[in-house]
Amino acid sequence: HALIFLDPDLAVTLLQRPSIPFSRAVQVNRLLAYTHWRLGEVDKVLPLLTQVFEKGKDRKGKPDSTDVLAVAHYYIEVSELKQARDYIDQALTLSRNSALATLSDAVLLWLERKKDDALMKLKRAKKLDRELINVKTLAYEHWWKTKALTALKEMLEKL
């Protein structure tokens, strides 16, 4: 994971090696998608995230909410807010008390110009996990990029 930040090009090369066992393919695709995301190669991200989303389902056939949020943040960044809304709603259904999903919902509401609702969601996310609402952490540990981070900064100024 650290290599993605230190040398993303090398990370892509290593992650694309054919010797990786199939059982780890979901994890590898997740890391590879994140690496392309960090490199700004946005066009390569969605196909990989789609594979992660489809293959990373649990025994009940439900995807991981973190993977769902990754797809949502992809759509936020490319300004397709309607698609982002679908994925964030799905993440909230999968994990109703997730601070990350609630915070993502707040950001999307802000971008949808529903400012009062966004601030209420932000307060709820803070109650769920006060430490999560850190712009640097979100930028480096999650799928947050410029649009979501800028919206969060604006919201935090309003509180």
Side-chain angles (χ1 to χ4, degrees):
H1 197 250
L3 188 59
I4 292 170
F5 295 98
L6 298 173
D7 191 345
D9 292 317
L10 179 60
V12 168
T13 301
L14 293 174
L15 289 166
Q16 290 178 329
R17 290 176 54 194
S19 62
I20 295 171
F22 182 75
S23 62
R24 291 186 31 216
V26 171
Q27 293 171 316
V28 170
N29 282 345
R30 187 180 293 120
L31 288 171
L32 192 55
Y34 190 69
T35 304
H36 286 300
W37 186 250
R38 299 275 310 147
L39 287 168
E41 299 170 347
V42 179
D43 57 318
K44 296 179 181 178
V45 173
L46 189 59
L48 290 165
L49 283 179
T50 302
Q51 289 177 11
V52 168
F53 187 76
E54 290 303 317
K55 294 178 182 173
K57 294 180 178 176
D58 66 14
R59 291 180 191 158
K60 295 180 182 178
K62 293 183 180 182
D64 181 274
S65 64
T66 304
D67 294 335
V68 175
L69 287 172
V71 177
H73 279 275
Y74 166 84
Y75 282 121
I76 286 172
E77 203 58 33
V78 297
S79 299
E80 294 184 25
L81 302 184
K82 185 173 173 44
Q83 289 88 343
R85 167 60 52 213
D86 292 341
Y87 283 96
I88 286 178
D89 288 347
Q90 187 174 354
L92 287 166
T93 299
L94 289 167
S95 187
R96 186 158 307 286
N97 289 322
S98 164
L100 189 58
T102 303
L103 185 58
S104 296
D105 190 26
V107 164
L108 184 55
L109 286 165
W110 188 264
L111 294 171
E112 293 171 332
R113 307 216 186 290
K114 299 174 183 172
K115 309 287 185 179
D116 292 336
D117 292 340
L119 292 173
M120 285 177 32
K121 284 281 186 162
L122 176 60
K123 289 175 186 174
R124 183 170 190 280
K126 281 180 104 171
K127 285 182 182 177
L128 291 169
D129 185 350
R130 186 176 257 332
E131 293 178 23
L132 175 68
I133 303 174
N134 178 313
V135 174
K136 289 181 182 177
T137 300
L138 292 166
Y140 291 104
E141 293 182 17
H142 301 286
W143 289 83
W144 291 55
K145 287 203 56 110
T146 306
K147 290 182 182 179
L149 293 170
T150 300
L152 178 59
K153 287 176 188 175
E154 291 171 3
M155 291 182 351
L156 290 171
E157 289 174 4
K158 297 291 181 183
L159 280 186

